[in-house]
Amino acid sequence: MEPLLSALSSCTEALLAEAAGPVAVAAAGRAGVASRPCPCPLSHGDCSLNRLLSRLLTARRSLEICLFAFSSPQLGCAVRLLHRRGVRVRIVTDAQYMGLQGSQIGLLRQAGIQVRHDQESGYMHHKFAIVDGRMVITGSLNWTTHAIQNNRENVLVMEDAEYVKPFLDEFERIWEEYNPINYRFFSQRQ
Amino acid sequence: MEPLLSALSSCTEALLAEAAGPVAVAAAGRAGVASRPCPCPLSHGDCSLNRLLSRLLTARRSLEICLFAFSSPQLGCAVRLLHRRGVRVRIVTDAQYMGLQGSQIGLLRQAGIQVRHDQESGYMHHKFAIVDGRMVITGSLNWTTHAIQNNRENVLVMEDAEYVKPFLDEFERIWEEYNPINYRFFSQRQ
């Protein structure tokens, strides 16, 4: 039940390395050596993106993600790590945004993660994730590098069942609605 | 403490008329007569937009609004109504979006409502409102007609102080940060 409100900015490699063990240590080398500061323009201490990652990385059984736009390599790396650990990851995203340059969706699918998308003219504009059915992470933030580095955003982390349940119900509803068996590949004329 | 999660769609004139008294009755004529159904494509019963409006219209003292995009005529009408009633309304919005066609920001300023905006390259991407310092309304929804009619969105309404306070603190922080005395009208060269 900790609301997090701030512009997000971070280099998260150290945190991912800590969570991942040997898998990400090579990539995390830059941030781990105090005498050789990371050359990237992001902050490296306690910050909102690191706190968001640390919440995500507590997942042990399931992770539902429902995002309009997903292009952050750090967050994509964390999600693939959870998938490799055996966490059941399911992603719903917006059809028009998932193919844009820099999107993580292709990499997540390549990794074997289930992804479904809308088929509507409007946007699938949600921005939430549910960890182990007990914690919802929601707010204004799309998981994009641009938003993390530049925007004024808010992220809420809530464990109250009264808030988690409607998001879980919404996820299951649209997961079924966007089941590929329902896709219409050709226009249906009467 | 009622989470509202659904795609929003509504014709809200009847609700505004009920809340406003004579002021909005003329505009509400269409929706009020059962034998003459409203020709608009929106639903007219209990729906998320009507519930959102009914929460907003409980404001008696103050309304802080922090929105990336604001183009919904119904929500604009509700905010102007509250201003006329003597509620202290303050709005923070995104500089790049406030001037787009259909934006309500100009009309709200014309009505005498205080509006401030960012001066950053990133977006002021928040989407929340605070009613009387006791209720926060937040989520993925920009207050635009397109989002209300077409998108998959979520709106959370929370009265827990632990959730309201960080949003209030954030509003006051950026309200001061975006004070016009801080605007830079010319680039500052070293």
Side-chain angles (χ1 to χ4, degrees), chain A residues 1-3 5-7 120-128 138-142 146-147 150-154 156-160 162-163 165-167 170 173-174 177-178, chain B residues 1-3 5-7 120-128 138-142 146-147 150-154 156-160 162-163 165-167 170 173-174 177-178:
Chain A
M1 298 204 299
E2 180 188 344
L5 270 144
S6 64
E120 297 151 5
S121 61
Y123 290 133
M124 201 309 296
H125 202 238
H126 285 310
K127 308 131 188 348
F128 69 82
T138 188
S140 63
L141 181 75
N142 290 300
H146 183 270
N150 301 288
N151 287 3
R152 183 75 69 152
E153 303 275 5
N154 66 76
L156 276 164
V157 180
M158 300 185 286
E159 296 192 41
D160 319 57
E162 72 173 316
Y163 295 124
K165 188 174 183 307
F167 283 95
E170 172 74 352
R173 185 164 43 241
I174 61 182
E177 188 178 328
Y178 298 166
Chain B
M1 298 202 300
E2 179 188 345
L5 269 144
S6 64
E120 297 151 4
S121 60
Y123 290 133
M124 201 309 295
H125 203 238
H126 286 310
K127 307 131 188 346
F128 68 82
T138 188
S140 64
L141 180 74
N142 291 301
H146 183 271
N150 300 289
N151 288 2
R152 184 75 68 154
E153 303 276 4
N154 66 76
L156 276 164
V157 180
M158 299 185 287
E159 297 193 41
D160 318 57
E162 72 174 316
Y163 295 124
K165 188 173 182 310
F167 283 95
E170 172 75 351
R173 184 163 46 241
I174 60 182
E177 187 179 328
Y178 298 165

Side-chain angles (χ1 to χ4, degrees), chain A residues 3-44:
Chain A
L4 305 177
L5 270 144
S6 64
L8 305 176
S9 82
S10 168
C11 178
T12 58
E13 291 151 338
L15 186 135
L16 284 171
E18 186 185 328
V23 175
V25 166
R30 291 188 311 172
V33 184
S35 60
R36 191 181 160 209
C38 174
C40 89
L42 303 172
S43 72
H44 296 76

